[in-house]
């Protein structure tokens, strides 16, 4: 029994460590499973801390360095230009222009020298904030309508009970008078 608990704790630690180390959208599910199987909090927290703060950060750092290295980008651009000959030269020049805009000092406050990526990024942020506001309003309206429906339902049920009580007392009085 003690050996089984020890093995579960060790296996749980390394399982959590692996799930926390890779970019995994199902990690929340792994946390729920750990709670279900009563994995101790310190085991879960320790493995998560090591997995996310040490292993995952370094893996992502290496991935980004390799992915955005000039030679890697040049190879990818060359491959894409081979697949799509109509982009020949245009894609490479676009990336070079964007790279220069990214590395130049930001003395310009006008929108004329903004990069395409900054416009796309600003649009993405705007859409996300807009979606958040719309969902917040929708949730508030749903809560309000739900509370209104509940009040109407309570009023209807209380009126129904009053009518039933009135009918009962009326029948009792009629029965009393007839006897």
């Amino acid at each position: 029994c003690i050996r089984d608990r020890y093995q579960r704790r060790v296996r749980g630690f390394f399982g959590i460590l692996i799930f926390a180390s890779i970019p995994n959208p199902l990690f929340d599910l792994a946390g729920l499973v750990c709670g279900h199987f009563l994995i101790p909090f310190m085991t879960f927290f320790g493995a998560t801390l090591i997995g996310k703060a040490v292993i995952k950060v370094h893996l992502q750092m290496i991935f980004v360095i390799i992915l955005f290295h000039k030679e890697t980008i040049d190879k990818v651009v060359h491959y894409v230009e081979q697949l799509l000959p109509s982009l020949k030269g245009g894609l490479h020049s676009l990336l070079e222009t964007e790279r220069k805009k990214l590395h130049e000092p930001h003395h310009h406050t006008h929108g004329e020298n903004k990069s395409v990526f900054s416009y796309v990024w600003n649009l993405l942020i705007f859409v996300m904030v807009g979606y958040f506001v719309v969902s917040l309003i929708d949730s508030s309206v749903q809560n309000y309508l739900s509370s209104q429906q509940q009040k109407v339902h309570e009023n209807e049920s209380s009126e129904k009970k009053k009518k039933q009580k009135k009918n009962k007392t009326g029948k009792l009085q009629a029965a009393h008078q007839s006897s």
Side-chain angles (χ1 to χ4, degrees), residues 15-135:
I16 296 165
L17 183 69
I18 289 169
F19 275 106
S21 298
I22 57 176
N24 186 0
L26 298 177
F27 184 70
D28 292 338
L29 182 62
L32 291 172
V33 170
C34 288
H36 175 75
F37 288 113
L38 302 174
I39 301 290
F41 175 74
M42 288 312 294
T43 302
F44 177 78
F45 184 73
T48 303
L49 182 68
I50 293 169
K52 290 204 177 282
V54 178
I55 299 172
K56 182 178 176 182
V57 168
H58 288 91
L59 286 175
Q60 286 178 335
M61 178 184 62
I62 291 168
F63 177 75
V64 168
I65 288 171
I66 290 171
L67 182 67
F68 292 107
H69 189 262
K70 185 168 177 32
E71 291 175 8
T72 307
I73 291 176
D74 288 341
K75 287 178 185 177
V76 170
V77 167
H78 179 71
Y79 180 72
V80 169
E81 287 178 344
Q82 282 181 342
L83 289 175
L84 301 168
S86 61
L87 295 178
K88 190 118 182 138
L91 186 60
H92 185 69
S93 63
L94 173 70
L95 286 176
E96 283 301 316
T97 318
E98 295 300 321
R99 184 179 307 173
K100 287 177 185 174
K101 286 179 184 178
L102 181 66
H103 290 291
E104 73 181 19
H106 296 289
H107 297 296
H108 307 287
T109 56
H110 306 299
E112 66 220 21
N113 283 338
K114 278 191 166 183
S115 71
V116 173
F117 296 119
S118 77
Y119 282 118
V120 170
W121 181 254
N122 289 340
L123 179 65
L124 178 70
I125 297 297
F126 180 76
V127 167
M128 287 181 0
V129 168
Y131 179 75
F132 173 73
V133 168
V134 167
S135 67

